[in-house]
Amino acid sequence: MHDDRSLVEARLKRVLDERIRPAVYPESVPLKVAVWHAPGEPVPVAEGLAAEPEPIGVGARWGAPWGTSWFRVTGTVPEAWAGRTVEALLDLGFDENMPGFQCEGLVYRPDGTPVKGLNPRNQWVRIGAPVEGGEQVRLHVEAASNPVILDYHPFLPTRLGDKETAGSEPQYTLTRMDLAVFDETVWQLVLDLEVLGELMAELPLESARRWDILRAVERALDAIDLQDVNGTAAQARVRLETVLSEPAVPSAHRISAVGHAHIDSAWLWPLRETVRKVARTTSNMTALLEDEPEFVFAMSQAQQWAWVRDHRPEVWSRVKKAVADGRFVPTGGMWVESDTNMPGSEAMARQFVHGKRFFLDEFGVENDEAWLPDTFGFAAGLPQIIKAAGAKWLLTQKISWSQTNKFPHHTFQWEGIDGTRIFTHFPPVDTYNCSMKGSEIAHAARNFKDKGVARHSLAPTGWGDGGGGTTREMIGKAARLRDLEGSATVVWETPAEFFAKAEAEYPDPPVWVGELYLELHRATLTSQAKTKQGNRRSEHLLREAELWAATAAVRTGFPYPHAELDRIWKTVLLHQFHDILPGSSIAWVHREARRTYELIAEELTGIIEAAQRALAGEGTRDLVFNSAPHSRGGIPAGGAGAAAVPEPVRPAPRPGGGYVLDNGLLRVEIDARGLVVSAYDIEADRETVAPGAAANLLQLHADFPNMWDAWDVDEFYRNTVTDLTDADEVTAAAEGVRIVRSFGASRVTQVLSLAPGERRLVLDTEVDWHETEKFLKLAFPLDVHAERYASETQFGHFHRPTHTNTSWEAAKFEACNHRFVHLEEPGWGVALVNDSTYGHDVTRTVRTDGDRGTTTTVRVSLLRAPRFPDPETDQGVHRFRHALVPGAGIGDAVREGWRVNLPERRTTGAAEVAPLVTVDRDAVVVTAVKLADDGSGDVVVRFHEAHGGRTRATLAVGFEVADVTVTDLLERPLAEAPAPEVSGNRVTLRLRPFELATLRLRRA
């Protein structure tokens, strides 16, 4: 037989595009359209419906950036259409290639009942099936003219990312507003041909199945009269029945399709717009669930559910019914799909506490899975947090974006720093916006790494980010792929149903130990410094507020601010979303975040001060409150007492220029350039700074990544560097040595100080930053031979190699730490602690002259200046505090990291304040002391082993205890946990390395 394959395939494409798809709507009449443009921010639905619109025609421009326009469409169904299916086709000016990234609409009936969302791939509204001739049609569309930020030429700087700079030029052209007859037979034929054509393209050329499909398609095309597609579509479908009914082979890969709409809680749009995106999508999905009995839809992020409940009660009622039917599924159990690298221990725990509790309270649903398809890598402390929240599974997809190394598994056990293992799945479809295309389904089957031992994978199916979720076309395709020869099989299932099957078929999967590092988007650890500082400060203020309010409640009857703390926690958790905290959102988002963090700090400071006043009482004694988890200055952790204010060490002139700071423990030499050329540990007789090198070295790199400006730093940035060694000023000051530098359009002012009795050099840095596409680092070349270093993560620390033996290690050229980085030789180490930075790099070189020792350089990432999506990223004044701690063991690193983030608070009062709880082991760190969330008055204490070793710790409780219960993160009894030893007001537990524990103490 002659090979005419290409001819038939080309014929299929043209006939589909030019004849069959247009015939889905064979007849149409125009609707009358009028519009009212809301003058400012979005208005309530009732106001939009009541507004008096002005006529507008198809072809007219509409929609200033970030504006809201209310369209009223009216018309009459022609008498000749009686008994047929009729839909309204409402095209606001969509680009079908950009679902989720442009204008969107929500359709209402005149009484305010929501109908469904309008999106680029979802422009229809069902009027009737069948309709009555002469039926009057009246619909209202709340249309958002969100500007396109990520355009066909991506990453170009734009002022459209903030309403204050976006201007008023209309963004869209009204394209189609019609009533049309919907021919379901033709629509079904389109899906038949799309599924077969897409499957055919994925099969091997030598496959008999491919040729069977080709001939069936050819026969179907022959049956179509191109001048009467609607009259001949049915007979064309008949000619495809046999090839569509051939069952899949028994060994076919099995895909669990989960209806999904990944909606970023903020990104290229502000938070307020996400509220509306979620309403549009949930309206779409509840309507689709009513039409499609096999379909299930899952939505994560309790915050987004709460937005629907609080802002769109008319949509919420439909959502609640669908949840009760088991078809609209809460998933993930987190407040938002947060970043997991940067949130602190308690914040990561509270993501699950608030997320799971919302779903329990609203629906009685408890999630067993964490759902994080788009998060930029996963910290090594996360597995035990997931387990401590009562969950056992994790789904993500983003690791497939890694640039260098292909992750070796799709289903595996992920082991965290304490040994906890979580059953984890990466969908091999490699997208969280699966549309059921044949190429996607075939890729999932081919790509699946665990063939031979497992055959199930998951496909999150639907357009995200306001694209409207799953479409009826996706459901139609999935129905054909349920059991089709040549394809993986597809069935709609909930995440829990998928995980149960996957775990059952793969009881002994491979294990991955440690962090799940994304080899991409590394600059998210640095971009938008003020957002990151606001997060860090808020986390620590919340710790203080809970600690002192709980202490005051127990000791004085102080009213514990449950509602206020709950609200603030949820606000902080929202801003840990994986495009807010990472600094990858538009200017509007980060401008609002800065203001939100200011308000949070003001409110939490008020709570802290009120609680401390209640505890201190009326008096004139000077008191210092210590909220850190370790004693300092003679004041116990969580207590208050009298303490002197130490005077910083006065600088002395240094021979050759510069100054010396010496407190008898540490002798620091700062040369005339303002660089630290020596940090000598007097007791250990050991130099910290590498020979011939200088610490406190600011380094400036060019920073223009190939893509994803705010997200990425590419390794070639290291090829060029400017050492900022010129100083405008190096002077002695009362607080230490003051250094001023100028470079480009920017200026840096530093104060280096040393306190009596402390082996800690404090570096306060202020940067007035006005650079573009530059990366500022602060370098510390250390005379330490270390093959690995420790960086703090949630509830412990994680070791990374300093070498680049393999591509896996080389790819980690920028990494995350929380409060400290620590490296050591046996018996002596160095810690570098910080109050607000996360990104860093560690490199090693061997000196070729002199002692041939090893220089290990730790560099802190301070600031970047990408121009997309916020062209003014990080411009302005920033303040950072770091401390270099020579001679530090890992315990010192832990303690100093907390100390720099939780400075003492001073007030006057009548008496010292004893701690509510104390721990007898320095290795055990208390991360939270609070009252129970249920309002019972029980005291909840959370702590973990922080040094990486086993320990036996005793908590001394400063009040009469009636009962002690080991709980999960949600403060529920943990049945499998060993009972602690309780003797009076002392509770003793054994902890494995990095183990997290929560105790609930009922007061007598």
Side-chain angles (χ1 to χ4, degrees), residues 68 77 223 257 267 312 352 403 409 557 621 719 728 801 876 940 942 974 980:
T68 301
V77 176
W267 178 27
R312 286 290 196 269
F352 288 91
Q403 288 176 313
H409 319 295
R621 293 182 61 185
N719 296 349
D728 302 342
V940 172
R942 188 148 36 247
L974 208 54

Side-chain angles (χ1 to χ4, degrees), residues 552-553 555-556 558-559 608-618 625 913:
R555 296 276 164 71
T556 73
F558 178 81
I608 292 163
E609 291 176 349
Q612 289 179 343
R613 283 195 300 272
L615 286 165
E618 296 296 328
F625 280 80
V913 178

Side-chain angles (χ1 to χ4, degrees), residues 75 164 233 310 329 393 428 441 500 512 552 757 860 930 977:
E164 294 183 353
D310 298 341
V329 182
W393 300 317
I441 302 305
W512 182 271
V860 177
K930 58 188 286 293

Side-chain angles (χ1 to χ4, degrees), residues 964-979:
V964 179
T965 306
V966 181
T967 75
D968 66 5
L969 293 179
L970 276 71
E971 301 167 9
R972 304 173 299 190
L974 208 54
E976 68 270 22

Side-chain angles (χ1 to χ4, degrees), residues 662-679:
D662 189 337
N663 66 358
L665 296 175
L666 194 61
R667 185 175 188 272
V668 178
E669 295 188 33
I670 301 157
D671 71 6
R673 300 170 298 172
L675 303 179
V676 175
V677 292
S678 174

Side-chain angles (χ1 to χ4, degrees), residues 776-826:
L776 184 65
K777 291 263 189 175
L778 180 61
F780 296 83
L782 307 173
D783 190 12
V784 177
H785 178 87
E787 293 185 357
R788 65 178 192 170
Y789 73 96
S791 64
E792 189 185 31
T793 188
Q794 292 99 0
F795 298 111
H797 57 267
F798 174 66
H799 287 101
R800 296 188 185 94
T802 60
H803 59 75
T804 55
N805 283 357
T806 71
S807 59
W808 293 88
E809 288 128 8
K812 296 183 180 182
F813 58 82
E814 185 79 5
C816 182
N817 69 286
H818 286 190
R819 285 170 289 243
F820 70 79
V821 166
H822 176 261
L823 59 161
E824 65 181 341
E825 297 172 3

